[in-house]
Amino acid sequence: MSPTINTAIDLPCGARLSNRLCKTAMTEGLADPMNRATPELETLYRRWSLGGAGLLITGNVPCDRLHPERPGNVAIDGNGGIEELRAYAKAGTTAGNHLWMQITHAGRQAPKSVNPHPLAPSAVPLDMIGDGFGAPREATEAEILDIIRRFTHAAVVARETGFTGIQVHGAHGYLISQFLSPLANRRTDAWGGSLENRARLALEVVRSIRAQVGSDFPISIKLNSADFQKNGFSNDEAGQVARWLEAAGVDLIELSGGTYEQPVMLGAGKEGEAAQPARESTRRREAYFLEYAALIKPLVKIPVMVTGGFRTLAGMNNALASGATDVIGLARPFCTDPEVANKLLAGSPDRIDAYELSLKLGADAPVEDSPPGTRAQVETFGVLGWFCLQNIFLGRGLEPDTSMSVWEAFNRYGENEAQTVARLIRSTTAA
Ligand SMILES: Cc1cc2nc3c(=O)[nH]c(=O)nc-3n(C[C@H](O)[C@H](O)[C@H](O)COP(=O)(O)O)c2cc1C
């Protein structure tokens, strides 16, 4: 019989997920100034734990505080906060679900306010409007080895503090994804050039973590099914990397797509750049990456999760029945309805929140489209801010505020000192 979202699934390491629904990683911006977990995170994750998903994945947790995704990230970097992590893990597993920590290093996508010269595979700056990101510096081999050690340390701390697994962030244009990309990685040493070399960092990180956490601890990786950029990391390459990751000891591969330069993971992105998921028709279609995942899935035996755009019960169960995915990753619906998984598992409603389809930067936003693309970029960050703010409200014990406009969210998000990325873009684009 075909699996449905209600069917449990066993992972190669022996762990069992009680159902096929996962709340995927969403940055929370709720850490304290030392990047330690806070009571707000406990409240947020307790609510999500009681919400029914078999698997919760934390927002990204940098293994180097000089390379965060934003200043409000929880980080594991010799910054203390062990008891806070324990409390966070305990709250996030209240209902007996799995809670995996997503470990990351932002590389050149670290905000300039934190690091004006972040490490990256090569000194290739991001192609973005505004002044949010600094000029990256090519990492030395010693620095690459240090990054592997940092990822491993964070995974060990995750295990020790009660997280029930980890996920390596290898997608969305962060450091590991930069190494995979022939556009961002121009190295000529053992860490660049051929696919084998570009994938070396991902594989070494996974191998090193596996050696330290043991064989019974779930290790996942989030990987782009493609970057959807001309001459970027391709769908074929993702298939090969998935095979290598399986051999390196990964239990579950989450497939997404895109980068900051091409944010198709959120259904946005520039048209015409080898970017099918950015097309309006695809954006409106359920599950942005399912057809790309379907080409990767037969190449591996380990479970695969596809994330991005799932919004109907039928769409989710059909995707499971088709064999293109084993687990359904959902993010934004959890921001406006922490109970969404319980509702889906009970079979009603069939259609869940999809605010991203109607959220637009309105006429209230005094943002010139100069240079062209500025409004689209502000809209992407404004909508992201809208969802982030809902999670912040949930963490404060409040209810979501769906009446907020995108422009209001952009500004309120910018007010939070943790949301520097949005603030920097606003300062360079507002009229
Ligand atoms: C507010 C917000 C924060 C996000 N933060 C992360 C993150 O920290 N790590 C990550 O891998 N993906 C992150 N994502 C992407 C989601 O995990 C997911 O891939 C994306 O939202 C598509 O799924 P959805 O259509 O169900 O929302 C974030 C998305 C949103 C909306």
Side-chain angles (χ1 to χ4, degrees), residues 303-320:
V304 165
M305 166 160 84
V306 178
T307 300
F310 280 109
R311 297 295 180 264
T312 67
L313 181 55
M316 297 176 206
N317 280 331
N318 288 342
L320 292 170

Side-chain angles (χ1 to χ4, degrees), residues 302-429:
I302 53 174
V304 165
M305 166 160 84
V306 178
T307 300
F310 280 109
R311 297 295 180 264
T312 67
L313 181 55
M316 297 176 206
N317 280 331
N318 288 342
L320 292 170
S322 76
T325 187
D326 301 296
V327 181
I328 304 293
L330 291 174
R332 287 166 289 188
F334 280 91
C335 305
T336 48
D337 186 359
E339 283 286 326
V340 64
N342 277 333
K343 291 177 187 169
L344 286 166
L345 292 164
S348 166
D350 175 62
R351 188 170 288 276
I352 59 174
D353 289 350
Y355 283 97
E356 65 283 353
L357 294 180
S358 52
L359 287 168
K360 297 272 175 261
L361 194 63
D364 60 326
V367 181
E368 302 291 333
D369 199 31
S370 168
T374 300
R375 275 188 74 90
Q377 190 173 308
V378 170
E379 182 173 275
T380 298
F381 277 89
V383 172
L384 190 67
W386 192 95
F387 284 104
C388 265
L389 280 164
Q390 307 300 347
N391 292 344
I392 289 173
F393 300 152
L394 292 176
R396 291 184 183 152
L398 305 171
E399 291 312 307
D401 173 8
T402 57
S403 66
M404 197 170 28
S405 79
V406 172
W407 180 237
E408 191 187 341
F410 191 79
N411 285 289
R412 287 175 72 178
Y413 191 52
E415 275 162 24
N416 181 335
E417 81 164 338
Q419 314 310 341
T420 314
V421 177
R423 194 165 62 235
L424 281 169
I425 288 192
R426 195 187 63 224
S427 70
T428 56
T429 58

Side-chain angles (χ1 to χ4, degrees), residues 1-4 7 20 320-321:
M1 248 194 21
S2 304
T4 70
T7 315
R20 305 293 178 105
L320 292 170

